[in-house]
Every structure is written in C-alpha cells, then in structure tokens.
Amino acid sequence: MLVTGGAGFIGSHTCVELLAHGHAVVVVDDFSNSSPAVIDRIDKAAGRPITALHEGDLRDSSLLRSVFEAHPIDAVIHFAAKKAVGESVELPLEYYDVNVSATTSLLRTMLAHGVRELVFSSSCSIYGQTSTVPLGEAEPAAPTNPYARSKWFCENIIADACRRYPELNAVALRYFNPVGAHSSGLLGEDPRGVPNNVMPYMMQVAIGRRPELQVFGGDYETPDGTCVRDYIHVMDVADGHRVALSQLEPGFSVFNLGTGVGTSVLGLVAAFREACGVEIPARVVSRRPGDVAMLIADPARAASAWGWRTTRDLHAMVRDAWEFQRLNPYGYEAGLVVGSGQ
Ligand code: NAD
Ligand code: WQD
C-alpha cells in the first residue's frame, strides 16, 4: 500500500493503523510539513516497520514511477497536500500546483501501473459557508478559499478519471476536524510555526509555550456563542481509511468522516480541564474571517454502507493530544522528554 504524505499528522496515524492490521506500507513524503523523525515513531508505535520511505515531491513523475516500479503497490491513500486555509489565500497558485498537480501525477502513474484503488483526503471545508446541520454528503459543495477549492477540484478530477477508466475505484473522505493523537504519546500533531488550528494551539498554551488561547468570536448563534465543530479522533480517521479501503465500491464515492457530535470552543476548553486537570487561559476576541458558526457531520452514510462509527469520544481526544504534548513539548525534532519510558 502506498501512503502519500505518510509522515504528516493524519498519514502517520494511518500508517500505524495499517501496519497493525498487517498491511505493508510504503511512504512518499517530501517532509515539507513534517519531520523525518516521524518515521521511527510510526515503526515504534506499530511494533513493526514500514516497508520503505521515498523522500521527494509527488509532482516528480520520475520519482513516482520508480516507487511504483520498486514495490508491488495494490492501493494508494493520498494525504500529501498543503492544508492551511489562510496561506492558501496568500499563495493560491502554490496550493493549486501542489494539491492538484500531485493528484493528477499520482492518478497517471497509478493507471500506468494498473493500480486501481485510491482513497483521497478531502475536507468538510468544501461545504463552505453553510448553515445546514448536520451536513450530509449530498449538500452542495461551495468552497470559499483556494485550499477548499483545490480539494473540490481533486474530487472532480478523480471522479472524471473513474468515469473514463472504469477499472479505477476511488473514495474521497471528507474529514471534519481531526484532533487527538496515538495513545502511546509517540505520534501526534506537531505543526510548524504558530498553529492555525484550535487543538494544537490549546496544547501549546497548556504546556506553557503560549500565554492564552484566543477564542475567535463569542457572539455566534450557538449555545455558548462560540463556534461549534465536529472534532474526530485522528485514530478514528485512520480507522476510517482502513475500512474505506476494505469496502471500496466500483467507481467514485464520497463519505463524511465525522462523529455527528458538535463541541464549541469553550466546550473544548472545558473538556480539557475535566480530562487533564489543566485550566487553559482563554479570552474571547473578535471573529476570525471565514469561520462558520456550526459544522457538524451527518455520519449516516459511512454507518449504513460500512457499518462504521467512530469509537473515541472528546475525553479521549483531549487526553491523547495532551499526552503527546507532555511527552513532546517542543515537537518531534526536539525529541521525547527524558524518562518517558518510550
Ligand atoms: P500534514 O501537513 O500534517 O500532512 C501532509 C503531508 O504531506 C506532510 O507530511 C507533508 O510533508 C507532505 N507533503 C505535502 N506536499 C507534498 C508533496 N508535494 N510531495 C510529497 N509530500 C508532500 O496534514 P494532515 O493534517 O495530515 O492532512 C492530511 C490530508 O488531510 C491533507 O490532504 C489535508 O488537506 C487533509 N485534511 C486535513 C484536515 C486537518 O484538519 N488536519 C482536515 C481535512 C482534510
Ligand atoms: C476550530 C474552531 C475557530 C484557533 C480547519 C480548516 C478545515 C479543515 C479542518 C482541512 C473555529 C476556533 C481556532 C484559535 C479559536 N482542515 N479557534 N482559536 O477552521 O473548523 O477547520 O481545519 O481540511 O478546512 O478550515 O478548524 O481548528 O482552525 O478552528 O477560537 O486559536 O476554533 O474560530 O471556530 P476549522 P480550527
């Protein structure tokens, strides 16, 4: 199995899940948003190593060709992409180039080597400024920034490829808000620079790297005025990929990966206090442009088609994220804290 972007946040956890279920895993990653140190952590967390790592850019078709020639690849899980919404507004061409070109280059190489199975990382951000709660897959896509549009373009490109090449079977998984970490504390979310997302930001406040959490907006039409999101444990996301692959249907399909449960920003702070006994200094500031009040998945399609449901609750999400942060206060490159026993 080829995992692109396998050193990233979701890719690394998915590699562990695949290894634990007996799959052989080949990773391609250029480490543009991850650390080579992750590969050892994957091997350690899974208790057995990945088959191979190929360092390089997915847009490099000769690299891809050599990967497909070197290994008997039966399926691809395609995570590699740039993912920061704000940065995508500043660098739209870079986002379209990396996210879309990597996908077309991958599809071409898969077809040339007779590889028929693809799982693609899509995003709830393709639904855009919607007020529909919960969101089913039939909700029209209305992406509002280059990142989200790049994901929507890729979904369409893959769907077109499946129409033209009926031997190709693909699924796009629209993740809601993946958070949490592997329960060993070996793997987690380690963003570069200032975190854009609430959970890693909150963890850096908790560990003392940042003074407070700014809560973006307290006047939304939600029970406590702060935005509500559908946080999903990254190991449930990883499990969702394994199951999606095992249940892959002919042609192209899309599935939400979410819990169907909404949590507000202040609810997340409270859950952290309850699960980990740490108070996060939080201050409500003005809204962040582009945020919607409430995004909650309707997870019914995955439940009825695959019999699949998430199994980890908010308590597990904050507990596991905190364990990773405690053991890796300055991230992968700085190493595990001495005496962690890992
Ligand atoms: P991540 O940045 O941690 O992982 C992406 C990995 O891909 C990184 O290791 C990076 O080095 C690699 N990469 C990027 N461009 C590459 C290229 N051209 N060639 C080779 N490797 C490249 O991100 P993540 O959070 O793990 O997200 C994985 C996927 O899931 C992405 O496609 C993202 O858009 C999607 N997604 C993420 C979220 C989220 O909140 N994290 C939500 C919805 C969808
Ligand atoms: C969650 C809530 C913020 C930071 C993003 C992408 C989306 C998808 C998932 C990739 C919001 C609030 C945040 C902070 C805060 N990723 N917040 N203080 O925006 O729901 O979704 O990640 O596909 O495309 O847009 O996630 O974690 O940034 O924000 O109050 O310092 O936390 O306003 O309500 P978001 P997030």
Side-chain angles (χ1 to χ4, degrees):
M1 169 111 43
L2 173 63
V3 179
T4 78
F9 171 45
I10 305 171
S12 58
H13 291 79
T14 305
C15 286
V16 172
E17 178 73 15
L18 294 169
L19 288 166
H21 283 82
H23 293 277
V25 174
V26 173
V27 169
V28 175
D29 203 300
D30 65 359
F31 300 119
S32 53
N33 197 39
S34 55
S35 160
V38 171
I39 302 298
D40 267 358
R41 302 286 189 97
I42 292 172
D43 296 352
K44 233 174 171 178
R48 68 188 196 90
I50 63 167
T51 302
L53 162 70
H54 293 266
E55 180 174 353
D57 191 321
L58 267 191
R59 291 167 294 175
D60 175 353
S61 45
S62 61
L63 166 88
L64 266 186
R65 214 170 27 247
S66 66
V67 172
F68 280 75
E69 278 163 10
H71 308 282
I73 289 164
D74 53 355
V76 179
I77 304 185
H78 178 36
F79 292 106
K82 294 177 78 64
K83 65 162 181 178
V85 170
E87 187 186 54
S88 80
V89 177
E90 293 304 309
L91 303 171
L93 301 183
E94 182 65 10
Y95 269 67
Y96 289 125
D97 194 31
V98 173
N99 294 4
V100 179
S101 304
T103 303
T104 53
S105 155
L106 181 65
L107 283 166
R108 265 200 298 266
T109 316
M110 286 177 64
L111 288 163
H113 290 81
V115 179
R116 297 156 171 233
E117 302 196 336
L118 174 67
V119 181
F120 173 68
S121 292
S122 190
S123 167
C124 65
S125 61
I126 69 160
Y127 294 118
Q129 291 282 340
T130 173
S131 53
T132 308
V133 179
L135 277 163
E137 292 85 349
E139 185 74 9
T144 59
N145 56 70
Y147 164 72
R149 263 189 292 278
S150 76
K151 290 286 162 186
W152 177 234
F153 292 162
C154 285
E155 282 198 12
N156 283 282
I157 289 166
I158 297 166
D160 283 341
C162 289
R163 271 188 284 274
R164 168 63 183 82
Y165 305 102
E167 69 274 23
L168 188 65
N169 303 323
V171 61
L173 302 181
R174 296 173 176 170
Y175 322 147
F176 278 65
N177 288 57
V179 297
H182 190 260
S183 58
S184 63
L186 285 165
L187 290 169
E189 190 167 13
D190 179 24
R192 295 186 166 176
V194 181
N196 295 309
N197 299 117
V198 67
M199 188 66 132
Y201 200 102
M202 199 168 96
M203 290 306 116
Q204 293 193 5
V205 174
I207 202 78
R209 287 172 62 178
R210 303 189 186 278
E212 64 175 11
L213 175 71
Q214 296 194 336
V215 177
F216 298 142
D219 57 352
Y220 284 98
E221 295 273 304
T222 60
D224 67 14
T226 66
C227 288
V228 169
R229 294 290 179 273
D230 185 338
Y231 298 99
I232 173 170
H233 197 295
V234 65
M235 288 309 297
D236 276 330
V237 177
D239 182 56
H241 285 72
R242 184 184 57 77
V243 172
L245 205 51
S246 70
Q247 306 267 338
L248 201 58
E249 289 161 11
F252 177 71
S253 46
V254 296
F255 286 85
N256 285 338
L257 287 191
T259 64
V261 176
T263 303
S264 71
V265 180
L266 290 178
L268 201 59
V269 171
F272 187 67
R273 184 194 314 119
E274 279 154 33
C276 308
V278 179
E279 187 65 55
I280 304 282
R283 183 167 55 95
V284 175
V285 298
S286 49
R287 292 181 176 196
R288 181 173 69 175
D291 277 344
V292 291
M294 230 187 251
L295 273 181
I296 300 176
D298 179 348
R301 183 178 286 181
S304 65
W306 309 333
W308 182 81
R309 281 175 191 76
T310 58
T311 60
R312 297 156 178 96
D313 62 7
L314 192 62
H315 181 94
M317 298 180 212
V318 291
R319 180 200 63 207
D320 293 343
W322 179 227
E323 183 67 357
F324 174 74
Q325 195 69 55
R326 265 188 347 94
L327 294 179
N328 305 269
Y330 287 89
Y332 288 116
E333 308 253 320
L336 281 161
V337 293
V338 178
S340 65
Q342 298 285 359

